[in-house]
Amino acid sequence: AESKMGEIKVPQPRPKMEEACVRSDEIPGVRFIPMIMWHDSTHFASTSYYRSFVFGPRNLVSRGGFIEDKLGQQQGLDLRTKGWETHADYGTWLLDDFAPQPARLVGH
């Protein structure tokens, strides 16, 4: 199918939520849920990630540009046209601490 964002490819089915989440023995009690688009509100990232990926050789964001406008759009396009495996290139995750509502923290 064709859209204004490009051809939409439907490769293998996307993984179920629990299969896509990442957990770490080093940080028990939390899980990381994959995000399908970059959001710049509260998040954590290493400076090397910004230097080598966000502002790196793919030229996804220019100086002074909005990350969501270019990198976020490219991430969505890659997921739609190349498939779920491209999520690993972007490394965008929600942090879920499993606390009961309303204190539950789900942040990116």
Side-chain angles (χ1 to χ4, degrees):
E2 187 73 29
S3 77
K4 57 184 172 180
M5 293 295 292
E7 183 179 346
I8 297 176
K9 174 185 172 189
V10 182
Q12 75 249 0
R14 66 181 178 268
K16 293 182 177 169
M17 176 64 76
E18 283 303 316
E19 295 170 1
C21 292
V22 174
R23 295 175 191 253
S24 169
D25 292 336
E26 295 173 13
I27 312 171
V30 301
R31 69 178 175 172
F32 298 92
I33 304 169
M35 290 179 58
I36 60 170
M37 188 173 167
W38 174 280
H39 292 279
D40 75 343
S41 50
T42 308
H43 69 280
F44 58 92
S46 67
T47 54
S48 64
Y49 174 78
Y50 273 91
R51 288 183 185 128
S52 65
F53 186 76
V54 175
F55 301 112
R58 287 183 64 186
N59 198 29
L60 292 170
V61 180
S62 59
R63 181 173 286 192
F66 290 101
I67 295 172
E68 302 94 330
D69 289 345
K70 190 144 184 216
L71 186 145
Q73 296 299 318
Q74 185 63 50
Q75 181 179 6
L77 181 63
D78 286 351
L79 286 166
R80 288 190 303 278
T81 60
K82 297 178 182 177
W84 181 254
E85 63 275 4
T86 62
H87 181 269
D89 295 339
Y90 292 88
T92 53
W93 304 89
L94 291 170
L95 181 121
D96 181 9
D97 70 355
F98 293 102
Q101 298 284 347
R104 186 173 189 173
L105 168 69
V106 176
H108 47 80

